[in-house]
């Protein structure tokens, strides 16, 4: 019936009959799957053959179904009706991309910055440099972000990546001292702390040697010793 709607819906009588049929299913069926299918087909019918105003009325009527809210928000954004679009953003995180479109179009830099900050605090560094460019005092913002991420469970990797980006050697040393295995990935970015880097490598390698059980473990130990040599010189790796 969806194909029937698409190919013959331009006939007004046919459009009216299909519209009535889908509405009747939605209002009277007890099957949630069938109801949702009818809503989906009804929107196909409206999108193909109804005016923009009628499409929006339909989306508003079933706004909590599927992605209808998102479709309505984008319809308002496309026509520059940003206030109406904003009124539908019941959750900026849920409609993050739509919110960004609105704030970019209206030059609301504070809101854009808030969204970028939220992304970073949730482990997404995609817009990290854009966030930097929107900050008047990036140093202060960075300190606040690091303070939150430092002890946030599950975001240790994000915290480490930011330290690497910003070249914060002292903080990287502390980061690796909390888990010596991190030194293998971070040593290249730590400058001026050779003694601490050496100590962490030695402790970590000794631990690996004591717990090694098979060939794969020993191969990994060799790989870590090679990294140790790259960090502190071939002579030290040979001694170890």
């Amino acid at each position: 019936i969806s194909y029937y709607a698409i190919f013959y819906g331009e006939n007004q009588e046919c459009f009216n009959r299909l519209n009535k049929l889908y509405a009747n299913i939605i209002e009277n069926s007890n099957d949630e799957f069938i109801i949702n299918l009818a809503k989906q087909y009804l929107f196909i019918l409206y999108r193909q053959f109804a005016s923009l105003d009628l499409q929006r009325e339909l989306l508003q009527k079933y706004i909590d179904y599927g992605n209808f809210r998102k479709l309505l928000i984008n319809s308002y954004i496309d026509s520059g009706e940003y206030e109406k679009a904003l009124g539908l953003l019941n959750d900026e995180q849920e409609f993050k991309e739509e919110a960004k479109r609105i704030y970019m179009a209206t030059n609301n830099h504070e809101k854009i910055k808030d969204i970028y900050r939220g992304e970073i605090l949730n482990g997404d560094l995609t817009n990290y440099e854009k966030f930097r460019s929107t900050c008047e005092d990036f140093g202060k913002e960075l300190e606040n972000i690091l303070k939150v991420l430092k002890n946030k469970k599950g975001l240790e990797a994000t915290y480490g990546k930011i330290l690497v980006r910003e070249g914060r050697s002292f903080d990287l040393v502390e980061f690796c001292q909390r888990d010596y295995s991190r030194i293998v990935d971070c040593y290249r970015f730590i400058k001026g702390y050779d003694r601490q880097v050496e100590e962490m490598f030695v402790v970590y390698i000794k631990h690996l040697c004591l717990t090694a059980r098979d060939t794969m473990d020993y191969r990994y130990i060799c790989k870590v010793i090679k990294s140790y040599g790259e960090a502190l010189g071939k002579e030290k790796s040979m001694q170890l």
Side-chain angles (χ1 to χ4, degrees):
I1 198 163
S2 62
Y3 291 107
Y4 184 69
I6 291 169
F7 289 116
Y8 297 101
E10 56 197 0
N11 178 290
Q12 189 63 47
E13 182 186 352
C14 180
F15 176 86
N16 292 339
R17 289 174 65 185
L18 285 169
N19 186 21
K20 186 176 179 181
L21 170 64
Y22 290 136
N24 185 51
I25 292 170
I26 293 165
E27 291 169 10
N28 298 304
S29 176
N30 294 319
D31 188 323
E32 196 64 33
F33 175 77
I34 295 297
I35 290 171
N36 288 335
L37 205 59
K39 288 176 183 176
Q40 179 183 329
Y41 287 161
L42 188 57
F43 180 65
I44 291 173
L45 182 69
Y46 271 59
R47 187 174 58 189
Q48 291 285 332
F49 307 112
S51 67
L52 181 60
D53 286 340
L54 285 175
Q55 290 178 44
R56 287 175 173 176
E57 282 182 25
L58 179 72
L59 291 170
Q60 187 74 57
K61 186 175 181 180
Y62 302 117
I63 196 165
D64 292 322
Y65 164 71
N67 66 340
F68 278 17
R69 181 181 292 271
K70 183 175 287 192
L71 289 168
L72 186 55
I73 291 169
N74 279 311
S75 175
Y76 284 131
I77 294 173
D78 290 341
S79 60
E81 298 173 85
Y82 301 117
E83 288 300 320
K84 289 183 179 179
L86 276 171
L88 296 172
L89 291 180
N90 57 353
D91 183 343
E92 282 187 356
Q93 281 304 309
E94 184 181 353
F95 300 102
K96 185 172 64 178
E97 293 306 316
E98 288 72 30
K100 276 197 283 191
R101 283 187 66 196
I102 294 168
Y103 298 138
M104 291 288 281
T106 55
N107 295 314
N108 193 331
H109 299 297
E110 283 303 312
K111 282 289 189 180
I112 295 168
K113 186 169 74 172
D114 289 344
I115 290 176
Y116 289 159
R117 185 191 297 107
E119 290 176 349
I120 294 168
L121 292 174
N122 283 305
D124 182 359
L125 299 180
T126 305
N127 291 307
Y128 185 85
E129 293 304 324
K130 289 182 181 179
F131 175 71
R132 181 199 291 272
S133 68
T134 64
C135 296
E136 291 182 7
D137 187 351
F138 178 71
K140 184 177 179 180
E141 288 279 3
L142 179 62
E143 291 302 325
N144 290 332
I145 286 171
L146 291 176
K147 187 176 179 180
V148 173
L149 290 178
K150 185 175 183 178
N151 299 306
K152 199 169 183 180
K153 193 173 181 180
L155 291 176
E156 296 88 351
T158 302
Y159 176 72
K161 287 175 182 176
I162 293 176
L163 296 180
V164 167
R165 277 176 180 248
E166 300 300 329
R168 296 174 69 111
S169 293
F170 176 80
D171 293 316
L172 273 173
V173 168
E174 184 186 49
F175 177 66
C176 293
Q177 285 173 338
R178 288 156 61 186
D179 182 346
Y180 287 164
S181 67
R182 294 169 178 164
I183 194 62
V184 180
D185 295 318
C186 295
Y187 75 89
R188 295 180 182 86
F189 309 103
I190 298 174
K191 309 297 180 186
Y193 293 90
D194 288 355
R195 180 178 61 79
Q196 289 87 344
V197 169
E198 181 176 2
E199 287 175 356
M200 285 187 278
F201 261 117
V202 171
V203 171
Y204 182 49
I205 291 167
K206 285 182 177 179
H207 168 74
L208 290 174
C209 291
L210 289 170
T211 57
R213 293 172 299 176
D214 54 34
T215 304
M216 291 298 292
D217 289 343
Y218 293 123
R219 283 178 180 168
Y220 180 66
I221 292 168
C222 292
K223 179 183 175 181
V224 176
I225 292 175
K226 183 179 179 182
S227 296
Y228 173 72
E230 291 172 355
L232 295 148
K234 186 176 180 181
E235 185 178 341
K236 281 188 178 291
S237 68
M238 292 300 292
Q239 289 172 0
L240 185 65

